[in-house]
mmCIF file of all heavy atoms in Angstrom:
data_model
loop_
_atom_site.group_PDB
_atom_site.id
_atom_site.type_symbol
_atom_site.label_atom_id
_atom_site.label_comp_id
_atom_site.label_asym_id
_atom_site.label_seq_id
_atom_site.Cartn_x
_atom_site.Cartn_y
_atom_site.Cartn_z
ATOM 1 N N VAL R 1 0.830 -1.206 0.000
ATOM 2 C CA VAL R 1 0.000 0.000 0.000
ATOM 3 C C VAL R 1 0.864 1.255 0.000
ATOM 4 O O VAL R 1 0.574 2.234 -0.691
ATOM 5 C CB VAL R 1 -0.945 -0.024 1.216
ATOM 6 C CG1 VAL R 1 -1.660 1.312 1.375
ATOM 7 C CG2 VAL R 1 -1.953 -1.161 1.070
ATOM 8 N N SER R 2 1.952 1.209 0.750
ATOM 9 C CA SER R 2 2.824 2.380 0.853
ATOM 10 C C SER R 2 3.506 2.723 -0.475
ATOM 11 O O SER R 2 3.943 3.861 -0.668
ATOM 12 C CB SER R 2 3.889 2.141 1.923
ATOM 13 O OG SER R 2 4.671 1.014 1.587
ATOM 14 N N ALA R 3 3.592 1.747 -1.366
ATOM 15 C CA ALA R 3 4.292 1.949 -2.638
ATOM 16 C C ALA R 3 3.351 2.131 -3.821
ATOM 17 O O ALA R 3 3.755 2.645 -4.864
ATOM 18 C CB ALA R 3 5.206 0.755 -2.910
ATOM 19 N N LYS R 4 2.128 1.717 -3.650
ATOM 20 C CA LYS R 4 1.194 1.703 -4.775
ATOM 21 C C LYS R 4 0.978 3.112 -5.338
ATOM 22 O O LYS R 4 0.799 4.076 -4.589
ATOM 23 C CB LYS R 4 -0.132 1.102 -4.325
ATOM 24 C CG LYS R 4 -1.020 0.617 -5.459
ATOM 25 C CD LYS R 4 -2.120 -0.281 -4.940
ATOM 26 C CE LYS R 4 -1.592 -1.621 -4.478
ATOM 27 N NZ LYS R 4 -2.664 -2.575 -4.111
ATOM 28 N N GLY R 5 1.056 3.193 -6.659
ATOM 29 C CA GLY R 5 0.878 4.472 -7.328
ATOM 30 C C GLY R 5 2.147 5.287 -7.460
ATOM 31 O O GLY R 5 2.183 6.268 -8.215
ATOM 32 N N ARG R 6 3.192 4.894 -6.719
ATOM 33 C CA ARG R 6 4.466 5.623 -6.793
ATOM 34 C C ARG R 6 5.621 4.744 -7.270
ATOM 35 O O ARG R 6 6.528 5.227 -7.945
ATOM 36 C CB ARG R 6 4.833 6.192 -5.421
ATOM 37 C CG ARG R 6 3.822 7.147 -4.843
ATOM 38 C CD ARG R 6 4.337 7.776 -3.555
ATOM 39 N NE ARG R 6 4.649 6.765 -2.545
ATOM 40 C CZ ARG R 6 5.824 6.687 -1.910
ATOM 41 N NH1 ARG R 6 6.795 7.527 -2.177
ATOM 42 N NH2 ARG R 6 6.015 5.746 -0.992
ATOM 43 N N PHE R 7 5.591 3.469 -6.926
ATOM 44 C CA PHE R 7 6.675 2.543 -7.261
ATOM 45 C C PHE R 7 6.204 1.567 -8.325
ATOM 46 O O PHE R 7 5.049 1.115 -8.312
ATOM 47 C CB PHE R 7 7.112 1.742 -6.033
ATOM 48 C CG PHE R 7 7.748 2.542 -4.931
ATOM 49 C CD1 PHE R 7 7.858 3.917 -4.984
ATOM 50 C CD2 PHE R 7 8.256 1.876 -3.818
ATOM 51 C CE1 PHE R 7 8.448 4.637 -3.956
ATOM 52 C CE2 PHE R 7 8.857 2.579 -2.780
ATOM 53 C CZ PHE R 7 8.943 3.964 -2.850
ATOM 54 N N THR R 8 7.110 1.201 -9.220
ATOM 55 C CA THR R 8 6.820 0.211 -10.247
ATOM 56 C C THR R 8 7.925 -0.836 -10.273
ATOM 57 O O THR R 8 9.099 -0.487 -10.418
ATOM 58 C CB THR R 8 6.711 0.865 -11.632
ATOM 59 O OG1 THR R 8 5.694 1.878 -11.602
ATOM 60 C CG2 THR R 8 6.343 -0.168 -12.692
ATOM 61 N N ILE R 9 7.536 -2.085 -10.134
ATOM 62 C CA ILE R 9 8.504 -3.181 -10.207
ATOM 63 C C ILE R 9 8.456 -3.781 -11.603
ATOM 64 O O ILE R 9 7.378 -3.883 -12.208
ATOM 65 C CB ILE R 9 8.203 -4.239 -9.119
ATOM 66 C CG1 ILE R 9 9.317 -5.287 -9.049
ATOM 67 C CG2 ILE R 9 6.839 -4.881 -9.330
ATOM 68 C CD1 ILE R 9 9.177 -6.241 -7.861
ATOM 69 N N SER R 10 9.599 -4.158 -12.108
ATOM 70 C CA SER R 10 9.667 -4.780 -13.433
ATOM 71 C C SER R 10 10.885 -5.698 -13.494
ATOM 72 O O SER R 10 11.707 -5.703 -12.580
ATOM 73 C CB SER R 10 9.737 -3.712 -14.536
ATOM 74 O OG SER R 10 10.899 -2.919 -14.399
ATOM 75 N N ARG R 11 10.959 -6.453 -14.572
ATOM 76 C CA ARG R 11 12.098 -7.363 -14.733
ATOM 77 C C ARG R 11 12.471 -7.477 -16.196
ATOM 78 O O ARG R 11 11.613 -7.323 -17.079
ATOM 79 C CB ARG R 11 11.774 -8.735 -14.155
ATOM 80 C CG ARG R 11 10.655 -9.475 -14.869
ATOM 81 C CD ARG R 11 10.202 -10.713 -14.068
ATOM 82 N NE ARG R 11 11.261 -11.701 -13.948
ATOM 83 C CZ ARG R 11 11.254 -12.672 -13.035
ATOM 84 N NH1 ARG R 11 10.241 -12.780 -12.171
ATOM 85 N NH2 ARG R 11 12.252 -13.546 -12.984
ATOM 86 N N ASP R 12 13.740 -7.764 -16.434
ATOM 87 C CA ASP R 12 14.240 -8.032 -17.780
ATOM 88 C C ASP R 12 14.959 -9.376 -17.707
ATOM 89 O O ASP R 12 16.113 -9.446 -17.249
ATOM 90 C CB ASP R 12 15.183 -6.918 -18.223
ATOM 91 C CG ASP R 12 15.660 -7.083 -19.653
ATOM 92 O OD1 ASP R 12 15.602 -8.216 -20.183
ATOM 93 O OD2 ASP R 12 16.111 -6.100 -20.247
ATOM 94 N N ASN R 13 14.277 -10.428 -18.122
ATOM 95 C CA ASN R 13 14.849 -11.766 -18.007
ATOM 96 C C ASN R 13 16.093 -11.948 -18.870
ATOM 97 O O ASN R 13 16.972 -12.745 -18.538
ATOM 98 C CB ASN R 13 13.802 -12.821 -18.353
ATOM 99 C CG ASN R 13 12.695 -12.909 -17.320
ATOM 100 O OD1 ASN R 13 12.872 -12.533 -16.157
ATOM 101 N ND2 ASN R 13 11.536 -13.403 -17.724
ATOM 102 N N ALA R 14 16.180 -11.214 -19.966
ATOM 103 C CA ALA R 14 17.363 -11.324 -20.830
ATOM 104 C C ALA R 14 18.609 -10.789 -20.129
ATOM 105 O O ALA R 14 19.728 -11.201 -20.451
ATOM 106 C CB ALA R 14 17.131 -10.576 -22.129
ATOM 107 N N LYS R 15 18.396 -9.884 -19.172
ATOM 108 C CA LYS R 15 19.521 -9.287 -18.443
ATOM 109 C C LYS R 15 19.639 -9.812 -17.021
ATOM 110 O O LYS R 15 20.489 -9.333 -16.258
ATOM 111 C CB LYS R 15 19.376 -7.763 -18.411
ATOM 112 C CG LYS R 15 19.446 -7.112 -19.779
ATOM 113 C CD LYS R 15 19.326 -5.602 -19.679
ATOM 114 C CE LYS R 15 19.442 -4.961 -21.047
ATOM 115 N NZ LYS R 15 19.333 -3.470 -20.965
ATOM 116 N N ASN R 16 18.783 -10.768 -16.664
ATOM 117 C CA ASN R 16 18.782 -11.281 -15.284
ATOM 118 C C ASN R 16 18.704 -10.138 -14.266
ATOM 119 O O ASN R 16 19.395 -10.153 -13.237
ATOM 120 C CB ASN R 16 20.032 -12.129 -15.007
ATOM 121 C CG ASN R 16 19.933 -13.529 -15.567
ATOM 122 O OD1 ASN R 16 19.009 -13.838 -16.334
ATOM 123 N ND2 ASN R 16 20.868 -14.385 -15.224
ATOM 124 N N THR R 17 17.849 -9.185 -14.543
ATOM 125 C CA THR R 17 17.781 -7.989 -13.713
ATOM 126 C C THR R 17 16.343 -7.627 -13.389
ATOM 127 O O THR R 17 15.467 -7.710 -14.248
ATOM 128 C CB THR R 17 18.470 -6.802 -14.414
ATOM 129 O OG1 THR R 17 19.845 -7.144 -14.673
ATOM 130 C CG2 THR R 17 18.428 -5.551 -13.558
ATOM 131 N N MET R 18 16.143 -7.234 -12.145
ATOM 132 C CA MET R 18 14.861 -6.722 -11.673
ATOM 133 C C MET R 18 15.045 -5.241 -11.328
ATOM 134 O O MET R 18 16.134 -4.833 -10.907
ATOM 135 C CB MET R 18 14.417 -7.499 -10.427
ATOM 136 C CG MET R 18 13.171 -6.957 -9.766
ATOM 137 S SD MET R 18 12.652 -7.927 -8.341
ATOM 138 C CE MET R 18 14.003 -7.682 -7.193
ATOM 139 N N TYR R 19 13.981 -4.469 -11.497
ATOM 140 C CA TYR R 19 14.053 -3.034 -11.265
ATOM 141 C C TYR R 19 12.962 -2.593 -10.293
ATOM 142 O O TYR R 19 11.920 -3.245 -10.159
ATOM 143 C CB TYR R 19 13.869 -2.265 -12.572
ATOM 144 C CG TYR R 19 14.855 -2.635 -13.655
ATOM 145 C CD1 TYR R 19 14.513 -3.545 -14.653
ATOM 146 C CD2 TYR R 19 16.135 -2.096 -13.667
ATOM 147 C CE1 TYR R 19 15.414 -3.896 -15.640
ATOM 148 C CE2 TYR R 19 17.048 -2.440 -14.651
ATOM 149 C CZ TYR R 19 16.680 -3.338 -15.639
ATOM 150 O OH TYR R 19 17.576 -3.678 -16.617
ATOM 151 N N LEU R 20 13.212 -1.458 -9.669
ATOM 152 C CA LEU R 20 12.181 -0.791 -8.886
ATOM 153 C C LEU R 20 12.286 0.696 -9.209
ATOM 154 O O LEU R 20 13.242 1.365 -8.810
ATOM 155 C CB LEU R 20 12.354 -1.024 -7.383
ATOM 156 C CG LEU R 20 11.242 -0.446 -6.515
ATOM 157 C CD1 LEU R 20 9.932 -1.212 -6.751
ATOM 158 C CD2 LEU R 20 11.614 -0.487 -5.034
ATOM 159 N N ARG R 21 11.306 1.176 -9.931
ATOM 160 C CA ARG R 21 11.232 2.603 -10.239
ATOM 161 C C ARG R 21 10.431 3.267 -9.124
ATOM 162 O O ARG R 21 9.296 2.877 -8.855
ATOM 163 C CB ARG R 21 10.548 2.825 -11.576
ATOM 164 C CG ARG R 21 10.325 4.294 -11.933
ATOM 165 C CD ARG R 21 11.614 5.002 -12.228
ATOM 166 N NE ARG R 21 11.396 6.420 -12.569
ATOM 167 C CZ ARG R 21 12.392 7.252 -12.897
ATOM 168 N NH1 ARG R 21 13.653 6.821 -12.929
ATOM 169 N NH2 ARG R 21 12.118 8.508 -13.198
ATOM 170 N N MET R 22 11.023 4.263 -8.501
ATOM 171 C CA MET R 22 10.393 4.933 -7.368
ATOM 172 C C MET R 22 10.222 6.410 -7.682
ATOM 173 O O MET R 22 11.211 7.103 -7.948
ATOM 174 C CB MET R 22 11.255 4.765 -6.106
ATOM 175 C CG MET R 22 11.563 3.310 -5.775
ATOM 176 S SD MET R 22 12.425 3.111 -4.210
ATOM 177 C CE MET R 22 13.984 3.908 -4.578
ATOM 178 N N ASN R 23 8.989 6.868 -7.676
ATOM 179 C CA ASN R 23 8.671 8.266 -7.950
ATOM 180 C C ASN R 23 8.088 8.935 -6.716
ATOM 181 O O ASN R 23 7.605 8.264 -5.789
ATOM 182 C CB ASN R 23 7.657 8.356 -9.095
ATOM 183 C CG ASN R 23 8.207 7.859 -10.411
ATOM 184 O OD1 ASN R 23 9.395 8.000 -10.716
ATOM 185 N ND2 ASN R 23 7.343 7.253 -11.216
ATOM 186 N N ASN R 24 8.122 10.253 -6.724
ATOM 187 C CA ASN R 24 7.517 11.037 -5.647
ATOM 188 C C ASN R 24 7.988 10.549 -4.273
ATOM 189 O O ASN R 24 7.169 10.299 -3.380
ATOM 190 C CB ASN R 24 5.990 10.985 -5.755
ATOM 191 C CG ASN R 24 5.315 12.049 -4.929
ATOM 192 O OD1 ASN R 24 5.931 13.057 -4.585
ATOM 193 N ND2 ASN R 24 4.060 11.814 -4.578
ATOM 194 N N LEU R 25 9.277 10.426 -4.129
ATOM 195 C CA LEU R 25 9.848 9.895 -2.891
ATOM 196 C C LEU R 25 9.666 10.886 -1.743
ATOM 197 O O LEU R 25 9.682 12.112 -1.936
ATOM 198 C CB LEU R 25 11.323 9.584 -3.090
ATOM 199 C CG LEU R 25 11.585 8.330 -3.930
ATOM 200 C CD1 LEU R 25 13.012 8.342 -4.483
ATOM 201 C CD2 LEU R 25 11.349 7.072 -3.107
ATOM 202 N N THR R 26 9.477 10.343 -0.545
ATOM 203 C CA THR R 26 9.355 11.143 0.666
ATOM 204 C C THR R 26 10.375 10.648 1.690
ATOM 205 O O THR R 26 10.925 9.548 1.550
ATOM 206 C CB THR R 26 7.944 11.036 1.258
ATOM 207 O OG1 THR R 26 7.812 9.766 1.907
ATOM 208 C CG2 THR R 26 6.865 11.163 0.185
ATOM 209 N N PRO R 27 10.632 11.426 2.730
ATOM 210 C CA PRO R 27 11.581 10.969 3.757
ATOM 211 C C PRO R 27 11.203 9.618 4.371
ATOM 212 O O PRO R 27 12.086 8.891 4.827
ATOM 213 C CB PRO R 27 11.532 12.099 4.783
ATOM 214 C CG PRO R 27 11.235 13.321 3.971
ATOM 215 C CD PRO R 27 10.256 12.844 2.924
ATOM 216 N N VAL R 28 9.930 9.290 4.354
ATOM 217 C CA VAL R 28 9.482 8.004 4.902
ATOM 218 C C VAL R 28 10.044 6.833 4.101
ATOM 219 O O VAL R 28 10.154 5.716 4.607
ATOM 220 C CB VAL R 28 7.934 7.939 4.943
ATOM 221 C CG1 VAL R 28 7.444 6.563 5.337
ATOM 222 C CG2 VAL R 28 7.382 8.995 5.882
ATOM 223 N N ASP R 29 10.423 7.076 2.861
ATOM 224 C CA ASP R 29 10.981 6.020 2.008
ATOM 225 C C ASP R 29 12.461 5.771 2.284
ATOM 226 O O ASP R 29 13.042 4.859 1.684
ATOM 227 C CB ASP R 29 10.792 6.382 0.537
ATOM 228 C CG ASP R 29 9.336 6.505 0.144
ATOM 229 O OD1 ASP R 29 8.548 5.587 0.495
ATOM 230 O OD2 ASP R 29 8.964 7.510 -0.495
ATOM 231 N N THR R 30 13.066 6.545 3.155
ATOM 232 C CA THR R 30 14.471 6.346 3.493
ATOM 233 C C THR R 30 14.668 4.984 4.143
ATOM 234 O O THR R 30 14.024 4.662 5.139
ATOM 235 C CB THR R 30 14.963 7.450 4.433
ATOM 236 O OG1 THR R 30 14.918 8.707 3.742
ATOM 237 C CG2 THR R 30 16.375 7.177 4.914
ATOM 238 N N ALA R 31 15.538 4.180 3.547
ATOM 239 C CA ALA R 31 15.744 2.815 4.023
ATOM 240 C C ALA R 31 16.853 2.163 3.195
ATOM 241 O O ALA R 31 17.272 2.708 2.168
ATOM 242 C CB ALA R 31 14.465 1.992 3.887
ATOM 243 N N VAL R 32 17.277 0.999 3.659
ATOM 244 C CA VAL R 32 18.099 0.127 2.817
ATOM 245 C C VAL R 32 17.141 -0.784 2.053
ATOM 246 O O VAL R 32 16.268 -1.404 2.666
ATOM 247 C CB VAL R 32 19.090 -0.701 3.647
ATOM 248 C CG1 VAL R 32 19.906 -1.622 2.742
ATOM 249 C CG2 VAL R 32 20.013 0.212 4.456
ATOM 250 N N TYR R 33 17.317 -0.839 0.759
ATOM 251 C CA TYR R 33 16.445 -1.635 -0.101
ATOM 252 C C TYR R 33 17.180 -2.903 -0.527
ATOM 253 O O TYR R 33 18.321 -2.837 -0.984
ATOM 254 C CB TYR R 33 16.021 -0.819 -1.320
ATOM 255 C CG TYR R 33 14.973 0.216 -0.989
ATOM 256 C CD1 TYR R 33 15.292 1.346 -0.238
ATOM 257 C CD2 TYR R 33 13.651 0.050 -1.407
ATOM 258 C CE1 TYR R 33 14.328 2.285 0.092
ATOM 259 C CE2 TYR R 33 12.673 0.988 -1.094
ATOM 260 C CZ TYR R 33 13.018 2.104 -0.342
ATOM 261 O OH TYR R 33 12.055 3.028 -0.009
ATOM 262 N N TYR R 34 16.478 -4.028 -0.365
ATOM 263 C CA TYR R 34 17.059 -5.337 -0.649
ATOM 264 C C TYR R 34 16.233 -6.062 -1.708
ATOM 265 O O TYR R 34 15.005 -6.001 -1.691
ATOM 266 C CB TYR R 34 17.047 -6.215 0.599
ATOM 267 C CG TYR R 34 17.831 -5.684 1.771
ATOM 268 C CD1 TYR R 34 17.228 -4.857 2.713
ATOM 269 C CD2 TYR R 34 19.165 -6.036 1.957
ATOM 270 C CE1 TYR R 34 17.935 -4.383 3.806
ATOM 271 C CE2 TYR R 34 19.886 -5.570 3.049
ATOM 272 C CZ TYR R 34 19.260 -4.745 3.958
ATOM 273 O OH TYR R 34 19.969 -4.288 5.050
ATOM 274 N N CYS R 35 16.894 -6.810 -2.567
ATOM 275 C CA CYS R 35 16.157 -7.739 -3.402
ATOM 276 C C CYS R 35 16.259 -9.133 -2.809
ATOM 277 O O CYS R 35 17.206 -9.448 -2.072
ATOM 278 C CB CYS R 35 16.611 -7.715 -4.858
ATOM 279 S SG CYS R 35 18.320 -8.116 -5.151
ATOM 280 N N GLN R 36 15.250 -9.949 -3.101
ATOM 281 C CA GLN R 36 15.118 -11.244 -2.462
ATOM 282 C C GLN R 36 14.502 -12.247 -3.410
ATOM 283 O O GLN R 36 13.628 -11.902 -4.214
ATOM 284 C CB GLN R 36 14.242 -11.095 -1.207
ATOM 285 C CG GLN R 36 14.141 -12.342 -0.350
ATOM 286 C CD GLN R 36 12.834 -13.077 -0.553
ATOM 287 O OE1 GLN R 36 12.025 -12.711 -1.397
ATOM 288 N NE2 GLN R 36 12.655 -14.147 0.198
ATOM 289 N N VAL R 37 14.983 -13.483 -3.308
ATOM 290 C CA VAL R 37 14.402 -14.585 -4.067
ATOM 291 C C VAL R 37 14.358 -15.802 -3.154
ATOM 292 O O VAL R 37 15.258 -15.996 -2.321
ATOM 293 C CB VAL R 37 15.214 -14.883 -5.341
ATOM 294 C CG1 VAL R 37 16.622 -15.331 -5.019
ATOM 295 C CG2 VAL R 37 14.503 -15.909 -6.221
ATOM 296 N N ASN R 38 13.295 -16.591 -3.283
ATOM 297 C CA ASN R 38 13.183 -17.843 -2.542
ATOM 298 C C ASN R 38 13.621 -18.991 -3.443
ATOM 299 O O ASN R 38 13.026 -19.215 -4.501
ATOM 300 C CB ASN R 38 11.750 -18.078 -2.076
ATOM 301 C CG ASN R 38 11.371 -17.149 -0.944
ATOM 302 O OD1 ASN R 38 12.134 -16.944 -0.016
ATOM 303 N ND2 ASN R 38 10.189 -16.568 -1.030
ATOM 304 N N LEU R 39 14.645 -19.710 -3.030
ATOM 305 C CA LEU R 39 15.148 -20.848 -3.780
ATOM 306 C C LEU R 39 15.126 -22.065 -2.864
ATOM 307 O O LEU R 39 15.690 -22.006 -1.770
ATOM 308 C CB LEU R 39 16.569 -20.594 -4.282
ATOM 309 C CG LEU R 39 16.753 -19.405 -5.221
ATOM 310 C CD1 LEU R 39 18.224 -19.187 -5.510
ATOM 311 C CD2 LEU R 39 15.992 -19.629 -6.516
ATOM 312 N N ALA R 40 14.493 -23.136 -3.315
ATOM 313 C CA ALA R 40 14.393 -24.347 -2.493
ATOM 314 C C ALA R 40 13.898 -23.998 -1.099
ATOM 315 O O ALA R 40 14.404 -24.504 -0.094
ATOM 316 C CB ALA R 40 15.739 -25.063 -2.423
ATOM 317 N N GLN R 41 12.910 -23.117 -1.061
ATOM 318 C CA GLN R 41 12.271 -22.689 0.183
ATOM 319 C C GLN R 41 13.205 -21.942 1.110
ATOM 320 O O GLN R 41 12.901 -21.771 2.295
ATOM 321 C CB GLN R 41 11.638 -23.881 0.896
ATOM 322 C CG GLN R 41 10.566 -24.561 0.044
ATOM 323 C CD GLN R 41 9.919 -25.738 0.735
ATOM 324 O OE1 GLN R 41 10.504 -26.323 1.640
ATOM 325 N NE2 GLN R 41 8.717 -26.077 0.325
ATOM 326 N N ALA R 42 14.340 -21.492 0.609
ATOM 327 C CA ALA R 42 15.252 -20.689 1.420
ATOM 328 C C ALA R 42 15.372 -19.308 0.791
ATOM 329 O O ALA R 42 15.541 -19.186 -0.417
ATOM 330 C CB ALA R 42 16.622 -21.354 1.478
ATOM 331 N N PRO R 43 15.297 -18.273 1.605
ATOM 332 C CA PRO R 43 15.407 -16.924 1.060
ATOM 333 C C PRO R 43 16.863 -16.531 0.834
ATOM 334 O O PRO R 43 17.729 -16.816 1.672
ATOM 335 C CB PRO R 43 14.769 -16.064 2.146
ATOM 336 C CG PRO R 43 15.046 -16.820 3.409
ATOM 337 C CD PRO R 43 15.004 -18.278 3.045
ATOM 338 N N PHE R 44 17.103 -15.902 -0.304
ATOM 339 C CA PHE R 44 18.410 -15.322 -0.583
ATOM 340 C C PHE R 44 18.248 -13.817 -0.715
ATOM 341 O O PHE R 44 17.278 -13.346 -1.304
ATOM 342 C CB PHE R 44 18.998 -15.895 -1.870
ATOM 343 C CG PHE R 44 19.517 -17.292 -1.720
ATOM 344 C CD1 PHE R 44 18.654 -18.373 -1.834
ATOM 345 C CD2 PHE R 44 20.852 -17.537 -1.448
ATOM 346 C CE1 PHE R 44 19.108 -19.668 -1.683
ATOM 347 C CE2 PHE R 44 21.323 -18.832 -1.305
ATOM 348 C CZ PHE R 44 20.453 -19.895 -1.415
#
């Protein structure tokens, strides 16, 4: 909910890359941002 309408997630499988486009940022968005994948039921 906090990201809806401002953030867009996308991926480019040819580049093995995921993106997060963030617009209209506010101080509340200050954080460390991590990407994550679940492999064999274990998070990486």
